[in-house]
Amino acid sequence: MTDKERVKPLEVFKNVHSTTSEIVHPDNQKRQTILILTWEFPPNIIGGLARHCYGLAKSLVKENYEVHVVTSKLPTTPSFENVDGIKVFRVTPLHEQEENFLTWIAGLNLAMIDKVKELAVNHQYCLIHAHDWLVGSSGIMLKSEMCIPLVATVHSLEQGRNNGIYTETQRFIDKKERQLIHGADQLIVCSEFMKDELLQQFAAKEEKVVVIPNGIEAEVAENNESTMLKTEIPIEPNKRLIFSIGRLVKEKGFDVIIEAAPALLKKYPDLYFIIAGKGPMEKAYKQLIEAKGLQEKVFLIGYVDDGTRNVLFRHCELAIFPSLYEPFGIVTLEAMIHGKPTIVSNTGGLKGIIEHGKTGLLMNPGDIQSLIEQVNILLDDQEKSRKLAENGQVIVQKLFSWKRIALETKRVYEETIYRSKYF
């Protein structure tokens, strides 16, 4: 990997103020109500979007906003609850038993529109914040009917997830992403990489796009061993754990860890690997593990809750995130905040978080040998490994707090509201 291929860290904050200003209109001094639309919100956690929305909403409450979240309902969740000051309204999609996901999403958006219209009778919203294309239709419709501005956070793109657009479903999602990107008054992305994607693929107006990274709470790294791991999770105290977590989808690149495992085990027989998460690639990964005879060394443990995830981070020797496509990668922050040496792919937003050789290590995406080389560096040089972990933890604590992210988001809200009123 050449120096030119490496990106300096903290690029996620480059131009973060480029479309914002110091304008604070007197109207903004009173407590305003923000409407957040998201298809997933804890405890309904499919990916990183749910945690992002929760962290942001919680921090916005601390910035004196009243925050209403409208999201999808699970059979086990209440239709309304107050979570850390966030008013969460959950709706059941029309035709909730629909197996076609796109039809199900359409029904969710219709239910969201109905719920917001009901809420608007008693609440005055100053701004809508929609998260990804999945709620784009309701965001755009409500913007028009309620005559209030729409901010959209674009977390990832269909073209990037699939390395192109090939199917009718992908074309449909790509179209919905385009509609949201051009229908929103302001766009937020989590990295410079994602900003470039919007400018190049969708001809988004540069002045509309602001880079604000994901955040993380330092509290997740507290040394609290009260969480009891399930007996089926194979923690081996006398061996060294390499840990990874994420949705089991092709773009996360978990097959690279499995492919690299035999060579690493030959040199370091005391290693074992745990990959947490669920997804459509689970069966294929299990077959690959069996084909390589790694059933006692590489474990797929499925979905884990936050407490279990944190315990696994504390137990691991190092963390690996070998994504082929990754707009940001909040799990990278989670590993770093726990003070663990971290290896990530030199791609997307990941290369803006880690500076190679200073706060972590970068591997070439999809390159088994590159991953092996980076693991060798960490396992062969304990002092270097410790220093990288310490540096990574410090940089996350300083730059990726939710308070900082909420303040940047607040600046976007203030300018968007001001422009909608006076321009």
Side-chain angles (χ1 to χ4, degrees), residues 405-418:
I405 276 65
L407 288 172
E408 296 296 345
T409 304
K410 183 179 180 180
R411 290 169 61 87
V412 172
Y413 288 175
E414 287 174 350
E415 178 166 299
T416 305
I417 293 168
Y418 183 83

Side-chain angles (χ1 to χ4, degrees), residues 55-73:
L56 177 61
K58 181 180 176 182
S59 298
L60 289 171
V61 168
K62 294 177 181 178
E63 294 303 319
N64 201 37
Y65 284 110
E66 180 168 330
V67 180
H68 292 191
V69 172
V70 178
T71 188
S72 59
K73 186 182 183 308

Side-chain angles (χ1 to χ4, degrees), residues 336-348:
M336 295 168 74
I337 200 71
H338 279 91
K340 297 299 178 178
T342 305
I343 300 169
V344 303
S345 289
N346 183 29
T347 188

Side-chain angles (χ1 to χ4, degrees), residues 231-400:
T231 55
E232 60 265 29
I233 296 179
I235 291 293
E236 302 185 39
N238 298 321
K239 294 186 178 182
R240 291 183 289 178
L241 168 62
I242 292 179
F243 181 51
S244 192
I245 183 171
R247 288 194 69 221
L248 301 187
V249 290
K250 187 175 182 180
E251 63 262 29
K252 297 296 182 182
F254 292 123
D255 57 306
V256 180
I257 295 177
I258 300 168
E259 294 281 3
L264 289 170
L265 287 164
K266 185 176 182 179
K267 185 175 181 180
Y268 314 101
D270 64 332
L271 293 180
Y272 68 109
F273 304 78
I274 289 179
I275 301 172
K278 293 186 70 65
M281 292 297 293
E282 184 173 0
K283 183 178 179 181
Y285 289 156
K286 284 182 177 179
Q287 290 173 343
L288 181 59
I289 289 168
E290 291 174 4
K292 292 185 172 295
L294 296 169
Q295 296 95 317
E296 301 302 316
K297 294 292 184 179
V298 181
F299 303 94
L300 302 180
I301 62 172
Y303 170 81
V304 296
D305 59 28
D306 291 354
T308 302
R309 176 202 64 202
N310 294 340
V311 173
L312 289 168
F313 272 128
R314 285 195 290 273
H315 276 283
C316 76
E317 185 79 8
L318 59 93
I320 300 172
F321 303 106
S323 300
L324 305 176
Y325 171 77
E326 191 68 73
F328 186 81
I330 197 167
V331 287
T332 302
L333 298 185
E334 293 170 347
M336 295 168 74
I337 200 71
H338 279 91
K340 297 299 178 178
T342 305
I343 300 169
V344 303
S345 289
N346 183 29
T347 188
L350 293 174
K351 60 188 178 184
I353 300 173
I354 281 183
E355 183 171 4
H356 185 76
K358 292 188 178 180
T359 57
L361 296 177
L362 297 174
M363 59 170 281
N364 296 322
D367 189 330
I368 299 165
Q369 189 56 42
S370 178
L371 173 57
I372 293 170
E373 290 170 1
Q374 308 316 310
V375 173
N376 286 340
I377 290 171
L378 294 179
L379 296 183
D380 290 344
D381 189 339
Q382 289 297 306
E383 179 59 25
K384 184 177 182 66
S385 179
R386 182 189 64 79
K387 191 64 177 175
L388 290 176
E390 287 180 357
N391 291 345
Q393 188 177 49
V394 168
I395 212 72
V396 171
Q397 290 171 339
K398 286 184 176 180
L399 295 180
F400 296 95

Side-chain angles (χ1 to χ4, degrees), residues 3 22 28 52 63-64 77 109 124 130 148 172 174 193 225 229 244 248 250 262 269 299 333 350 363 367 401:
D3 289 337
E22 298 296 335
N28 291 325
H52 173 97
E63 294 303 319
N64 201 37
T77 54
N109 277 264
Q124 183 177 356
I148 56 175
F172 177 85
D174 183 72
F193 166 78
E225 292 292 348
L229 293 178
S244 192
L248 301 187
K250 187 175 182 180
F299 303 94
L333 298 185
L350 293 174
M363 59 170 281
D367 189 330
S401 71

